Amino acid sequence: MARIIPIATDKDRAEAITAATEVLMRQRPVAIPTETVYGLAADATHPAAITSIYETKGRPRFNPLICHMADLAMAERNAVFDPLSRKLAEAFWPGPLTLVLPLQENSGIHPLATAGLDSVGIRVPVGFTAELIRNLGRPLAAPSANSSGRISPTTAQHVAADLGQKIDVIIDGGACPVGVESTIVKVKGGDVRLLRPGGIAVEAIEAVLGTVISRPKASGTAAIEAPGMLASHYAPDASVRLNATSVGQDEALIAFGSGDISGAAGAKALFNLSPAGDLAEAASNLFDYLKRADASGAKGIAVAPIPNEGLGEAINDRLMRAAAPRGTEE
Ligand code: AMP
Ligand code: MG
């Protein structure tokens, strides 16, 4: 079973950095808290390290990994920035925005991390992860710390339940504040395209750019460019029913705000993503409540309508994947 190391105090933190760095130097993956979800991190420059991520997750190798940098300077050594991408980096880093950019010629990022593409997905995270990258001196490839196709972890306990037997160390930074993965945009030749909605609202990106950006095509069609877009992903065992206005006795209910859902009192289990109707709070609770609803033994999970604006876009994206039929999961 993985060793779980807390980072509540400065002393804990120093020990955690040392322990995580030691694992990374052995080309093994370590689970780390980020502001989005828990990541399964390994040295992005080392083929054996990257292979260990794909193997631990059971992730198909055509699905490239986001590479995490300590700061913009490290990012510029690995990717080619233009004025638009620099503007976005300056506005949103450190934070939950991933930029897909042309790979820098002398970048040390290993082709296994980019799935052989001539582009690289990069972001600068806050807090512990940035500290760890600085200490290691190399970028970290880090997808979510879950078995491929399952719900992303937002606590160290979620990671332990899924991957605890397969990894050596989990750094416990408490619940992830954002709770959904990063927003991914591709910047190329003066054009900005959304590949995946996430922790930064698309409206905030548009406000910085002063233009509207194009959205992904229908679910599943952008699979090669952003495999997080595959139809079925985040799959719970129970079936998921969206935009529910009523709930049955064999279903769990995931509510939002104060709207009335008929049958709520008789539901098998009841969760409210945000009684106050706050989308950021809802995002931070989403994966934990999906997991708990799934564990309640309910046959199905009914989810109330969520407004499709701000972080609601990322929430609805993840819910649609959770509700998609099996068979196309990554
Ligand atoms: P995750 O599984 O949350 O780590 O998500 C990684 C996402 O970033 C995947 O959906 C990838 O397709 C996307 N991504 C990473 N690198 C690239 C790249 N070079 N080109 C396009 N998408 C990328
Ligand atoms: Mg993931």
Side-chain angles (χ1 to χ4, degrees):
M1 189 66 190
R3 199 176 136 212
I4 299 184
I5 307 178
I7 51 171
T9 67
D10 285 350
K11 185 166 165 286
D12 287 347
R13 228 176 154 82
E15 276 176 29
I17 294 277
T18 304
T21 304
E22 185 273 327
V23 174
L24 293 169
M25 303 276 277
R26 285 193 279 116
Q27 283 81 54
R28 295 286 306 153
V30 58
I32 51 168
T34 81
E35 70 274 50
T36 57
V37 300
Y38 274 72
L40 188 67
D43 183 345
T45 68
H46 202 292
I50 301 161
T51 298
S52 73
I53 294 180
Y54 285 107
E55 281 178 355
T56 304
K57 280 181 64 80
R59 177 171 169 122
R61 287 167 205 233
F62 61 76
N63 191 351
L65 305 173
I66 294 174
C67 296
H68 296 70
M69 309 284 160
D71 47 35
L72 182 55
M74 188 186 256
E76 297 216 35
R77 290 198 291 279
N78 289 286
V80 182
F81 283 71
D82 67 4
L84 281 183
S85 43
R86 198 163 292 115
K87 197 170 181 181
L88 291 175
E90 281 165 0
F92 296 109
W93 284 355
L97 176 70
T98 295
L99 297 173
V100 173
L101 302 174
L103 193 59
Q104 189 69 259
E105 224 170 89
N106 297 322
S107 161
I109 305 275
H110 195 275
L112 275 173
T114 59
L117 298 169
D118 56 6
S119 60
V120 58
I122 54 177
R123 86 175 184 96
V124 174
V126 301
F128 180 83
T129 309
E131 252 177 83
L132 181 59
I133 298 166
R134 209 162 278 123
N135 192 58
L136 184 71
R138 289 197 283 271
L140 287 179
S144 53
N146 55 277
S147 301
S148 188
R150 308 300 297 202
I151 299 168
S152 299
T154 55
T155 67
Q157 290 67 39
H158 292 164
V159 181
D162 184 358
L163 300 180
Q165 305 294 335
K166 295 183 175 171
I167 59 179
D168 302 336
V169 169
I170 300 170
I171 307 298
D172 185 355
C176 300
V178 177
V180 291
E181 299 85 346
S182 59
T183 300
I184 307 179
V185 300
K186 181 168 183 165
V187 185
K188 197 179 175 186
D191 180 51
V192 182
R193 231 150 35 88
L194 179 71
L195 297 185
R196 175 179 79 184
I200 298 276
V202 180
E203 294 91 328
I205 296 171
E206 292 176 332
V208 166
L209 295 173
T211 53
V212 170
I213 65 179
S214 58
R215 300 292 206 273
K217 299 181 203 92
S219 174
T221 56
I224 283 133
E225 218 155 13
M229 316 294 303
L230 293 183
S232 172
H233 205 82
Y234 309 100
D237 291 323
S239 59
V240 176
R241 187 165 68 80
L242 303 181
N243 296 315
T245 51
S246 65
V247 56
Q249 287 181 347
D250 52 357
E251 287 183 312
L253 173 65
I254 296 185
F256 174 81
S258 53
D260 250 3
I261 304 284
S262 77
K268 184 126 183 137
L270 179 58
F271 305 90
N272 194 321
L273 291 170
S274 171
D278 175 348
L279 289 166
E281 182 187 20
S284 73
N285 287 325
L286 178 67
F287 292 144
D288 187 48
Y289 289 1
L290 270 175
K291 281 172 182 281
R292 290 204 217 180
D294 203 20
S296 73
K299 275 213 181 72
I301 304 171
V303 186
I306 316 283
N308 202 38
E309 62 196 29
L311 291 196
E313 217 174 319
I315 296 171
N316 283 316
D317 172 84
R318 305 306 187 269
L319 285 171
M320 277 187 290
R321 292 176 209 299
R326 297 292 184 88
T328 49
E329 53 271 79
E330 64 152 339

